[in-house]
Amino acid sequence: MSNSRFWILAIAVTVSVNIAGFVQLEIPAGSLQAIRLEQTYGFIGLGLLYVAILASPLTKVFTNFPGKEAYLHARRAIGVSAFYYSFLHV
C-alpha cells in the first residue's frame, strides 16, 4: 500500500504515452490527430478529477466500502494524475 501512489503515477504516464502512440497510428496526421489527442486527455483528466474529489464523500456514505484506506491513501496520486492529464490537454 505504501507504493500505491508511485504505481498510479507510473501507470498514468505509461497510459498517456500509449494513447499518444495509438492516436498517431489510427488517425491520419493533421489537425484531427491533435484534436482527438486533446479530447482524450481532457476526458481522462476530468474523470480522474471526479474520482479524486469523490473519495471523501463516497467513504463517508459507504462506510463498509472495500479498500477504503487504500483509496483514501491513493487520492493524492489520483489528483496529481488528473492534473497531469489536464496539463497534457492544455
Side-chain angles (χ1 to χ4, degrees), residues 4-65:
S4 64
R5 290 178 180 167
F6 168 77
W7 289 111
I8 289 172
L9 294 173
I11 289 170
V13 171
T14 305
V15 168
S16 70
V17 171
N18 287 337
I19 289 171
F22 179 75
V23 167
Q24 286 182 355
L25 287 175
E26 294 296 319
I27 299 175
S31 62
L32 181 62
Q33 189 179 51
I35 290 170
R36 292 291 180 228
L37 197 57
E38 289 174 5
Q39 286 176 345
T40 305
Y41 286 151
F43 180 72
I44 293 173
L46 185 64
L48 286 171
L49 182 63
Y50 283 142
V51 169
I53 289 175
L54 284 176
S56 293
L58 281 178
T59 56
K60 298 276 190 231
V61 172
F62 303 108
T63 56
N64 295 328
F65 188 71

